[in-house]
Amino acid sequence: MRQRRWKTWALRGLGGLLLLVVLAALAAWLYLRASLAQLDGERQVPGLSAAVTVERDAAGVPLISGSSRLDVAYATGFVHAQERYFQMDLLRRTAAGELAELFGPRALPLDRARRLHRFRARAEHTLARLPAADRALLDRYVAGANDGYKALGAKPFEYALTGTEARPWTATDSLLVVWAMYIDLQAMQEGRDLARGWLREHSDAAQLAFLLPEASRWDATLDKGAAVAPAPIPERAPGWWGTPLDTAGRQVALRGADFVDSVGSNNWAVAGSRSSSGAAIVSDDMHLGLQLPNIWYRLALRFPDGKGGQRRVAGVSLPGAPPTVIAGSNGQVAWAFTNSYADLIDLVALERDPARAGQVRLPSGWETPQSHVEMIAVKGAQPERFVVRDTSLGPIREAAGRLYAVRWVAHDDAAVNLNHLQFETVASVEEGLEVAAIDGIPAQNIVVGDAAGNIGWTIAGTLPARGTAQFATTFPVTGDTPSWSGLLPAQRYPRIVNPADGQITTANSRQLMGEGAAVLGDGGFDLGARNRQIADGLQALGGKLDVRKVFDVALDDRALFMAGWRERALRVLDAQAMKGQPQRAEFRRLLEQSWDGHASVDSVGYRLARGYMWALHDLFYAGAGKAITALDPKAPIAGTSRWPEVVARLLDARPSGWLPAGYADWRAVELAAVDRVIAELTQDGQVLADATWGARNTVEIAHPISLAVPALKPLLGAPADRLPGDANMPRVAGPKFGQSERMTVSPGREEEGLYNMPGGQSGHPLSPFFLAGHSEWVKAVPVPFLPGKPKYTLRFKP
């Protein structure tokens, strides 16, 4: 009897526990449901001049229509906040250095790095100087954002999981979002300058000229300038060359195995003379770190054009930023961006003297820095007091015991403005280029095309006024006078308009060989292979082009750059090298048989060739790695993206003075690189034949909250798809980095436009838009550029 009762109570207890689990799951589901965006219905809004409609298609892409630009700005803020408020919050906090308030002490190192620049104070200063019309538009966006957040039935799940509350949105926050993009697109130049400074201190002038070439044989510049002759190979290598990173002589793990090339973005334009319609065709795929939700939010805006008609502007917006289309088309002009990699940061070495306590010496003389106390709020702990010391050249940063003034164009009063709004109404390429030169955004290559068939390029955004010295031989980290002062006047911005070949391409590589090159400087240009492949691919199309043909250039995953490294590996793997070496023989077999000339998911040969190239990088540059990464963990060890050209020249010339210690000859070095790849890919009993490129290039796109709560990754992540593509080809793809959008559009013919985007419109896992369009991005099946047939309609009434 007792045993029967025990079983009864045990079953009841188990049933009760199961019921509690079900109830908890139901409560969580109901909570999540309550925080979904409102898609249909009507809302009464004080301050509207007339009704505004938000018509979403099945993928959640809205067309926002109103009778005034201010009303449309309000609705844009409402929609952004309902779908993406946590993303907006992260962007403003990233720029302001306020992440520890959400995530606790582990976010303090990042917050300290951001507080150094005091972007919140700069944003408040900029806001006070905005023209009245810009401030009014921004205020309406802010009102919409706050109303959108308040209208949610429950706060976004991210705040529930972190146990925090969201602060209201402010106009200052929207400006901070622009500074967040400065950080994303330019801050890496600090590490680059530190790396190049270290290389200069540990190499002589001839070695440095060889190791840091000004250009590469892959460059396809817009001005069609003559190539820069490479510096001769010096007789001897610097002392650090080819030495192991580990002091005990152990080799480090293969850096290339987990490497993701974070230099990215492609854009191109085809003139009307080459298009089937006579209008220009503009294409863009901006490469960024990928997570959910995607950084971009698709939309179309419709409002009166001031001339009795309607203006429709479509493309991508940045939630939280001032409410306009970042890249897109306005019916007469289309525009697209890639990061310029102009030289925008100087690190100026400072001196100290015990006899001058509290002072530092700049190139202009001794100076007492101004101190600013920043209080960093920390979740679960007391606020941290952080002191920023500011000089006339910028805030002071310490690296390896040295002090540097960070001279960054992002600190200038004119770094951020709302002039980007003017792209909504430009009517020609000429007008677009004029707006670009006064745009307050991080300096970008902008490609513009208009309905009349004209195309053009310039730099959009803030540029420093540099001198005319050759840019690649200057190293501000030595303590010399900084290489710029003030901003470049709009009339000095370089331009290319309607080139004879009817096309313009940029892909983060060197833009100019002649006049204008020194104005831009080199802030970390890409090698150039990607842009060369785009330019040659467009030229090879021939005939009259349509939008689909131009779009497909973004999907080009031919391994033209890596093919040369495959040939090198095949040459060294001759009969003698494979004798008694079955793994080397298998390496060669796979290079030959598992290679289709593309970065294909099933290709083992591509992965082996890539690994071979990066193994050579490690064998040569590892000696510099420890010292340079101590200065900045993200600093490029080689100091340049052109290092493959340096290594290729050495393998061809085989100079004895550059042969790393411990190797009998250059052949031994190359075979050591092959063996390193084999060791890396066959550890733990793995088989070389299973090491496909797709196994390495597998999507890891997830919501940032899943980093804090890994158990939620299945709910908050994208499928683990295997992707073709890689760096140094148009189809850039990595596990967490790649094409954040693909857009091709002809102004005035937007209905023909094509688009792809990883992730969907909403950051909410229960939203039907959370991953809408993602599978099309993976499969490279384009969707229409414009919103489709309305499925949901939300109306705002005065």
Side-chain angles (χ1 to χ4, degrees):
M1 181 68 89
R2 287 181 180 178
Q3 187 176 10
R4 187 177 301 171
R5 288 178 179 176
W6 180 87
K7 288 183 178 180
T8 300
W9 283 108
L11 289 173
R12 288 177 179 176
L14 183 61
L17 181 61
L18 182 60
L19 180 61
L20 287 175
V21 171
V22 171
L23 289 175
L26 179 61
W29 183 82
L30 290 173
Y31 181 90
L32 284 172
R33 289 282 301 172
S35 61
L36 283 167
Q38 181 179 354
L39 305 182
D40 291 299
E42 293 186 354
R43 300 190 65 86
Q44 300 289 325
V45 179
L48 287 184
S49 64
V52 182
T53 61
V54 177
E55 298 173 301
R56 287 179 171 92
D57 65 12
V61 183
L63 169 62
I64 304 175
S65 305
S67 60
S68 89
R69 188 64 184 86
L70 292 175
D71 292 347
V72 169
Y74 172 89
T76 304
F78 188 97
V79 168
H80 277 170
Q82 289 228 311
E83 301 279 22
R84 302 284 194 93
Y85 198 84
F86 188 72
Q87 176 195 8
M88 295 162 59
D89 197 3
L90 287 185
L91 286 171
R92 66 175 170 183
R93 288 177 182 274
T94 294
E98 297 167 352
L99 291 168
E101 189 175 3
L102 284 180
F103 301 113
R106 63 182 169 177
L108 275 172
L110 187 58
D111 278 357
R112 295 185 194 110
R114 301 298 180 243
R115 287 294 177 104
L116 185 71
H117 304 287
R118 303 184 64 244
F119 284 133
R120 183 167 286 283
R122 298 182 194 280
E124 290 168 353
H125 179 65
T126 297
L127 184 66
R129 298 181 295 105
L130 279 184
D134 289 349
R135 179 60 192 267
L137 188 76
L138 194 53
D139 285 345
R140 291 308 293 157
Y141 176 79
V142 169
N146 285 321
D147 284 354
Y149 179 81
K150 293 174 186 175
L152 294 172
K155 64 184 179 181
F157 72 94
E158 297 94 339
Y159 297 105
L161 287 174
T162 57
T164 57
E165 296 292 335
R167 295 198 308 258
W169 198 256
T170 70
T172 300
D173 294 331
S174 286
L175 301 182
L176 280 169
V177 170
V178 183
W179 265 294
M181 296 309 295
Y182 269 97
I183 291 169
D184 195 26
L185 299 171
Q186 297 178 3
M188 81 290 288
Q189 292 189 15
E190 289 186 54
R192 178 179 180 272
D193 277 1
L194 289 169
R196 291 165 78 89
W198 187 94
L199 292 170
R200 180 173 187 174
E201 292 177 352
H202 295 83
S203 315
D204 64 32
Q207 292 164 346
L208 200 69
F210 168 66
L211 289 166
L212 302 175
E214 294 185 16
S216 87
R217 63 189 175 90
W218 295 95
D219 283 322
T221 58
L222 294 168
D223 59 0
K224 308 296 190 292
V228 176
I233 302 175
E235 182 179 347
R236 293 197 175 279
W240 55 265
W241 179 259
T243 58
L245 175 62
D246 191 289
T247 55
R250 296 187 298 269
Q251 292 289 2
V252 296
L254 184 62
R255 178 181 171 93
D258 294 320
F259 176 75
V260 176
D261 189 349
S262 59
V263 174
S265 294
N266 307 321
N267 66 10
W268 53 94
V270 174
S273 59
R274 294 183 57 192
S275 75
S276 57
S277 68
I281 304 175
V282 174
S283 196
D284 195 23
D285 54 280
M286 296 181 276
H287 308 155
L288 293 165
L290 303 180
Q291 63 181 25
L292 297 177
N294 187 40
I295 188 169
W296 307 119
Y297 183 88
R298 294 179 61 194
L299 49 65
L301 308 176
R302 187 165 57 193
F303 49 88
D305 63 3
K307 301 176 183 178
Q310 290 285 311
R311 171 75 63 178
R312 183 184 62 189
V313 188
V316 297
S317 63
L318 177 59
T324 189
V325 169
I326 303 298
S329 181
N330 69 10
Q332 295 176 287
V333 174
W335 62 98
F337 294 109
T338 68
N339 199 11
S340 70
Y341 285 90
D343 192 359
L344 304 162
I345 294 180
D346 285 348
L347 293 185
V348 183
L350 306 175
E351 295 180 19
R352 291 177 281 190
D353 187 337
R356 291 176 173 269
Q359 289 192 309
V360 293
R361 185 176 182 176
L362 282 68
S364 58
W366 289 96
E367 186 177 302
T368 301
Q370 184 179 359
S371 293
H372 304 275
V373 177
E374 295 277 319
M375 298 303 295
I376 305 177
V378 184
K379 178 188 173 186
Q382 292 297 311
E384 178 175 294
R385 186 176 185 269
F386 182 74
V387 179
V388 177
R389 293 195 297 157
D390 230 339
T391 72
S392 57
L393 292 180
I396 297 175
R397 169 183 176 168
E398 183 173 351
R402 296 184 179 182
L403 299 183
Y404 301 92
V406 183
R407 178 75 163 149
W408 188 4
V409 71
H411 297 153
D412 196 279
D413 285 348
V416 174
N417 58 40
L418 268 63
N419 289 341
H420 196 83
L421 288 159
Q422 296 180 36
F423 280 110
E424 296 180 351
T425 55
V426 295
S428 66
V429 162
E430 185 64 28
E431 290 181 14
L433 298 182
E434 289 175 0
V435 171
I438 60 171
D439 201 358
I441 61 172
Q444 302 286 293
N445 293 304
I446 183 171
V447 166
V448 186
D450 64 27
N454 301 297
I455 58 175
W457 163 88
T458 188
I459 298 294
T462 314
L463 284 175
R466 292 193 175 276
T468 57
Q470 285 296 311
F471 55 82
T473 56
T474 59
F475 294 86
V477 292
T478 61
D480 298 334
T481 302
S483 56
W484 60 278
S485 178
L487 298 184
L488 188 71
Q491 61 270 23
R492 288 188 57 200
Y493 275 55
R495 287 185 177 188
I496 300 290
V497 179
N498 289 331
D501 59 1
Q503 67 180 47
I504 291 174
T505 68
T506 83
N508 314 116
S509 52
R510 183 168 173 165
Q511 304 96 335
L512 304 168
M513 287 290 184
E515 185 179 357
V519 172
L520 299 181
D522 180 354
F525 288 144
D526 189 41
L527 175 69
R530 183 158 40 91
N531 188 50
R532 167 70 68 179
Q533 192 163 333
I534 293 168
D536 290 351
L538 268 178
Q539 202 62 251
L541 288 176
K544 294 293 185 178
L545 305 181
D546 58 22
V547 167
R548 182 56 193 258
K549 288 181 180 178
V550 176
F551 177 90
D552 284 348
V553 172
L555 309 178
D556 182 2
D557 58 15
R558 289 175 298 153
L560 304 185
F561 170 76
M562 203 54 67
W565 292 98
R566 171 178 176 266
E567 291 301 319
R568 289 182 183 279
L570 286 170
R571 283 199 297 270
V572 76
L573 287 171
D574 56 18
Q576 181 183 352
M578 294 186 292
K579 186 177 181 180
Q581 297 283 346
Q583 289 283 44
R584 289 182 183 174
E586 176 70 351
F587 194 108
R588 180 182 177 96
R589 183 187 73 81
L590 292 167
L591 278 177
E592 291 177 325
Q593 298 179 15
S594 184
W595 172 272
D596 61 1
H598 295 255
S600 303
V601 295
D602 295 327
S603 175
V604 178
Y606 181 83
R607 188 174 182 183
L608 297 183
R610 184 185 191 272
Y612 165 73
M613 182 189 76
W614 274 99
L616 288 167
H617 168 278
D618 292 353
L619 291 174
F620 294 137
Y621 290 96
K626 188 172 183 179
I628 289 176
T629 53
L631 295 172
D632 190 315
K634 296 183 179 180
I637 291 173
T640 175
S641 66
R642 303 182 185 110
W643 67 264
E645 296 295 278
V646 173
V647 173
R649 289 185 65 196
L650 290 173
L651 295 179
D652 290 340
R654 299 179 178 268
S656 60
W658 287 76
L659 181 66
Y663 295 96
D665 52 29
W666 283 93
R667 173 184 171 83
V669 175
E670 292 190 79
L671 289 174
V674 170
D675 291 342
R676 289 201 70 197
V677 179
I678 292 171
E680 189 74 18
L681 297 180
T682 58
Q683 59 185 341
D684 301 325
Q686 298 176 66
V687 179
L688 203 60
D690 293 337
T692 64
W693 177 237
R696 156 63 178 78
N697 213 41
T698 301
V699 164
E700 298 177 19
I701 305 175
H703 193 289
I705 285 293
S706 66
L707 300 177
V709 189
L712 293 177
K713 192 170 183 179
L715 177 65
L716 298 177
D721 294 299
R722 298 185 172 193
L723 298 179
D726 190 18
N728 294 310
M729 60 183 61
R731 190 169 184 174
V732 170
K736 300 178 183 178
F737 183 90
Q739 296 177 322
S740 66
E741 49 81 41
R742 303 182 189 115
M743 175 188 81
T744 303
V745 62
S746 195
R749 306 175 69 88
E750 286 78 10
E751 287 75 10
E752 300 170 2
L754 300 173
Y755 189 83
N756 275 147
M757 185 172 85
Q761 291 285 92
S762 176
H764 197 299
L766 293 188
S767 170
F769 316 138
F770 183 58
L771 287 175
H774 178 79
S775 64
E776 287 83 357
W777 174 81
V778 170
K779 299 172 185 175
V781 176
V783 301
F785 172 73
L786 290 177
K789 182 180 178 182
K791 184 175 181 180
Y792 313 93
T793 301
L794 177 63
R795 292 182 176 84
F796 300 92
K797 292 188 174 181

